[in-house]
């Protein structure tokens, strides 16, 4: 009797296991069927033959993909990385940027920089941090909690003097660049503290010259060239001591600097500088790498009190980004690094999370729409129908964002193209035709 009962129970268990396995296989098959789609027709063009392409077009209302072509694979996203930074900044930096931390003791102030990129930046006419220094004369700057490097991992070091690769720093000032301009037969240098750092080995009068910077120091060299010189901005080698010197030169006032951390973070009060979105909008519209890098550092300052990309990203990946469908390799705030590896599905996930948590009017004020920002010349007839962030590195093109179709559908998309061998504009036009067709027909 016991043997027959045991045999019967064994049969029931085997049947149950087989039934569960059958259901699981059906579920996997069903999921695979839902999540796969045929290659979009526009990819048959010869310009995409050598390229690696991933496409995700997602409809949140129905939780379905209109297109899901290699969307789970990893790509170098270029400046689409700024979407991650933008979301983190929207969520953690509040309405206004913290431009300075300070303590006051009997009329004497101890202050610490926070990585705020807006200080004396030409984008802004009013600078509350400068007003703070003008109002309070007995000020000592102490070393910030800087735990990073001036360049990000995977940046092209030989672009060190390119205007789009200003150094990251704890105390950015004047955008961390020197501006050189020609007025008559004179070269104007701004900030003027760098004037004596320029050596002339060329003829300014002809106008055919260029200005370069030494790799490891702030020595600038003007030399003859074949092209007409136009106004140029060159990053300078940063340090907190140099930032304080530039601040002194601007204020015409002495500021003490101590290269030590002396005050507990818990005692700091905050001096606010600019509205957060006044930094995020140009970051997304002109794809400003400097704002993106400093923005991510400031998120770290807000979360842990440290200016450190790796620690900040690690914290975000364990919290806000913990449930991403494909864990990305995320290493910087701007996308300058070729070490970044992110899937189209991940961008759709973050954009969907952004739309769920952030006011839509705020998103559309920050993201470029048709024929604006880096979308200038594209999607001219689709203003208000698309809000998206571009991304470009040599041989890599990306575009991710939101679209609203003519029938009213709200979609989220990401198109990542790596290793193409044609002009970037050819890729952008093909993607434009693909997305506008979706807007028109869905």
């Amino acid at each position: 009797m016991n043997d027959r009962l045991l045999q019967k129970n064994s049969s029931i268990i085997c049947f149950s296991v087989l039934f569960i396995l059958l259901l699981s296989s059906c579920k996997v098959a069903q999921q695979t069927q839902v999540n796969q789609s045929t290659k979009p027709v526009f990819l048959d063009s010869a310009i995409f033959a050598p390229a690696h392409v991933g496409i995700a077009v997602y409809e949140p209302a129905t939780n379905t993909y209109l297109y899901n072509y290699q969307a789970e694979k990893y790509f170098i996203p270029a400046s689409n990385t700024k979407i991650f930074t933008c979301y983190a900044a929207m969520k953690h930096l509040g309405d206004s940027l913290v431009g300075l931390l300070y303590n006051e003791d009997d009329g004497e102030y101890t202050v610490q920089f926070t990585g705020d990129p807006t200080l004396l930046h030409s984008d802004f006419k009013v600078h509350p941090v400068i007003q703070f220094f003008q109002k309070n004369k007995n000020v000592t700057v102490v070393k910030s909690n800087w735990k990073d490097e001036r360049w990000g991992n995977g940046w092209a070091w030989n672009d060190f003097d390119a205007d789009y690769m200003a150094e990251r720093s704890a105390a950015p000032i004047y955008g961390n660049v020197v501006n050189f301009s020609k007025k008559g037969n004179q070269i104007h240098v701004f900030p003027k503290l760098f004037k004596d750092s320029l050596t002339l080995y060329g003829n300014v009068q002809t106008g055919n010259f260029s200005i370069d910077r030494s790799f490891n120091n702030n020595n600038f060299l003007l030399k003859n060239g074949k092209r007409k010189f136009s106004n140029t901005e060159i990053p300078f080698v940063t340090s907190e001591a140099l930032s304080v010197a530039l601040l002194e030169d601007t204020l015409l006032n002495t500021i003490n600097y101590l290269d030590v951390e002396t005050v507990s973070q818990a005692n700091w009060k905050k001096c606010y500088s600019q509205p957060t979105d006044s930094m995020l909008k140009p970051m997304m519209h002109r794809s400003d790498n400097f704002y993106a890098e400093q923005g991510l550092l400031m998120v770290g300052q807000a979360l842990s009190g440290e200016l450190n990309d790796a620690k900040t990203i690690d914290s975000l990946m364990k919290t806000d980004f913990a449930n991403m469908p494909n864990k990305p390799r995320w290493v910087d705030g701007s996308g300058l690094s070729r070490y970044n590896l992110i899937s189209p599905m991940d961008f759709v996930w973050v954009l969907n999370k952004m739309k769920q948590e952030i006011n839509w009017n705020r998103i559309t004020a920050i993201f470029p729409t048709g024929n604006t920002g880096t979308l200038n010349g594209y999607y001219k007839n689709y203003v208000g129908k698309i809000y998206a962030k571009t991304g470009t590195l040599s041989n890599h093109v990306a575009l991710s964002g939101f679209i609203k179709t003519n029938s009213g559908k709200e979609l989220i998309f990401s198109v990542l193209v790596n290793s193409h061998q044609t002009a970037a504009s050819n890729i952008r036009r093909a993607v434009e035709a693909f997305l506008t067709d979706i807007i028109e027909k869905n």
Side-chain angles (χ1 to χ4, degrees), residues 1 16 75 85 87 91 117 123 133 169 173 176 204 215 306 357 360 370 390 395:
M1 182 69 178
S16 299
F75 297 84
T85 302
Y87 168 78
K91 185 165 184 180
D123 282 348
F133 279 100
S169 68
I173 186 169
N176 284 355
V204 175
F215 182 72
E306 288 186 18
E357 298 177 6
W360 178 243
T390 58
N395 307 105

Side-chain angles (χ1 to χ4, degrees), residues 172-199:
I173 186 169
Y174 291 111
N176 284 355
V177 294
V178 184
N179 181 278
F180 297 92
S181 60
K182 181 177 181 294
K183 297 180 180 179
N185 292 326
Q186 298 294 320
I187 297 297
H188 286 247
V189 182
F190 185 82
K192 62 181 183 298
L193 187 69
F194 292 102
K195 183 177 180 180
D196 293 336
S197 300
L198 176 64
T199 303

Side-chain angles (χ1 to χ4, degrees), residues 40-42 57 66-67 379 381-382 385-386 403-407 409 411 413 428-442:
V41 174
F42 82 98
V57 181
L66 278 69
Y67 288 91
Y379 306 93
N381 298 322
Y382 297 91
K385 292 284 188 179
I386 182 169
I403 54 179
K404 186 173 183 179
T405 71
N406 287 346
S407 67
K409 288 183 179 180
L411 308 176
F413 73 92
R428 294 192 190 102
R429 288 299 181 194
V431 173
E432 179 185 33
F434 169 66
L435 293 175
T436 54
D437 188 62
I438 291 175
I439 294 173
E440 294 288 348
K441 296 179 180 179
N442 288 273

Side-chain angles (χ1 to χ4, degrees), residues 42-51 417 420-423 426-428 430:
F42 82 98
L43 294 182
D44 291 334
S45 170
I47 65 172
F48 289 98
V417 181
H420 68 80
Q421 300 295 314
T422 185
N426 293 335
I427 302 294
R428 294 192 190 102

Side-chain angles (χ1 to χ4, degrees), residues 55-196:
I55 299 170
V57 181
Y58 175 72
E59 184 176 21
T62 59
N63 192 28
T64 58
Y65 282 90
L66 278 69
Y67 288 91
N68 182 349
Y69 178 71
Q70 302 190 137
E72 77 288 352
K73 294 187 177 181
Y74 292 92
F75 297 84
I76 297 171
S79 284
N80 267 205
T81 308
K82 293 182 176 72
I83 291 172
F84 282 25
T85 302
C86 186
Y87 168 78
M90 283 174 152
K91 185 165 184 180
H92 294 291
L93 294 186
D95 294 334
S96 298
L97 301 174
V98 178
L100 206 65
L101 298 172
Y102 71 93
N103 274 276
E104 189 270 334
D105 183 14
D106 196 25
E108 294 187 358
Y109 290 83
T110 304
V111 304
Q112 190 178 69
F113 289 109
T114 62
D116 177 16
T118 69
L119 181 59
L120 291 175
H121 196 290
S122 59
D123 282 348
F124 303 93
K125 295 181 179 179
V126 178
H127 297 276
V129 169
I130 293 298
Q131 294 172 349
F132 175 92
F133 279 100
Q134 290 172 332
K135 180 181 177 180
N136 305 296
K137 301 301 182 183
N138 297 321
V139 178
T140 298
V141 176
V142 296
K143 183 180 179 181
S144 69
N145 201 9
W146 172 258
K147 305 294 182 183
D148 220 320
E149 304 293 334
R150 55 180 174 162
W151 297 326
N153 289 331
W155 288 15
W157 64 267
N158 55 332
D159 290 343
F160 71 92
D161 58 353
D163 58 0
Y164 56 80
M165 213 173 90
E167 292 185 6
R168 307 183 299 189
S169 68
I173 186 169
Y174 291 111
N176 284 355
V177 294
V178 184
N179 181 278
F180 297 92
S181 60
K182 181 177 181 294
K183 297 180 180 179
N185 292 326
Q186 298 294 320
I187 297 297
H188 286 247
V189 182
F190 185 82
K192 62 181 183 298
L193 187 69
F194 292 102
K195 183 177 180 180
D196 293 336

Side-chain angles (χ1 to χ4, degrees), residues 217-419:
N217 55 56
N218 290 319
N219 294 326
F220 299 90
L221 177 66
L222 185 151
K223 57 186 179 181
N224 290 329
K226 296 180 180 180
R227 295 182 179 181
K228 275 290 187 192
F229 173 79
S230 59
N231 291 0
T232 186
E233 290 183 335
I234 300 177
F236 58 81
V237 179
T238 59
S239 70
E240 284 191 69
L242 176 57
S243 294
V244 171
L246 286 165
L247 198 54
E248 286 181 316
D249 193 57
T250 299
L251 295 169
L252 301 177
N253 187 34
T254 301
I255 301 172
N256 298 316
Y257 175 65
L258 294 178
D259 191 19
V260 290
E261 298 174 38
T262 60
V263 184
S264 169
Q265 180 189 351
N267 299 324
W268 292 119
K269 297 179 181 178
K270 298 175 181 178
C271 173
Y272 293 96
S273 59
Q274 309 294 342
T276 299
D277 292 359
S278 68
M279 176 190 74
L280 294 182
K281 182 175 180 178
M283 182 186 90
M284 299 300 274
H285 272 245
R286 67 178 183 235
S287 202
D288 193 298
N289 296 320
F290 179 64
Y291 281 167
E293 291 300 330
Q294 296 298 142
L296 186 61
L297 287 167
M298 292 190 77
V299 170
Q301 174 78 36
L303 292 177
S304 68
E306 288 186 18
L307 295 162
N308 180 276
D309 263 9
K311 184 173 182 178
T312 303
I313 291 170
D314 182 65
S315 176
L316 290 169
M317 289 301 300
K318 291 176 180 177
T319 53
D320 297 326
F321 295 80
N323 297 318
M324 299 181 79
N326 306 293
K327 184 178 179 180
R329 185 183 186 187
W330 177 22
V331 301
D332 70 0
S334 64
L336 277 171
S337 175
R338 291 177 182 263
Y339 292 167
N340 290 307
L341 290 172
I342 304 174
S343 74
M345 273 187 173
D346 286 338
F347 280 117
V348 166
W349 186 90
V350 171
L351 288 164
N352 192 34
K353 187 175 175 68
M354 180 186 291
K355 195 170 187 296
Q356 290 172 350
E357 298 177 6
I358 307 296
N359 181 277
W360 178 243
N361 289 335
R362 185 184 183 194
I363 294 172
T364 57
I366 291 172
F367 275 67
T369 188
N371 204 32
T372 64
T374 54
L375 292 179
N376 185 42
Y378 295 85
Y379 306 93
K380 291 182 178 180
N381 298 322
Y382 297 91
V383 175
K385 292 284 188 179
I386 182 169
Y387 294 92
K389 179 70 194 76
T390 58
T392 308
L393 285 171
S394 296
N395 307 105
H396 303 314
V397 168
L399 187 70
S400 302
F402 310 91
I403 54 179
K404 186 173 183 179
T405 71
N406 287 346
S407 67
K409 288 183 179 180
E410 296 179 349
L411 308 176
I412 301 172
F413 73 92
S414 179
V415 180
L416 306 182
V417 181
N418 279 185
S419 303

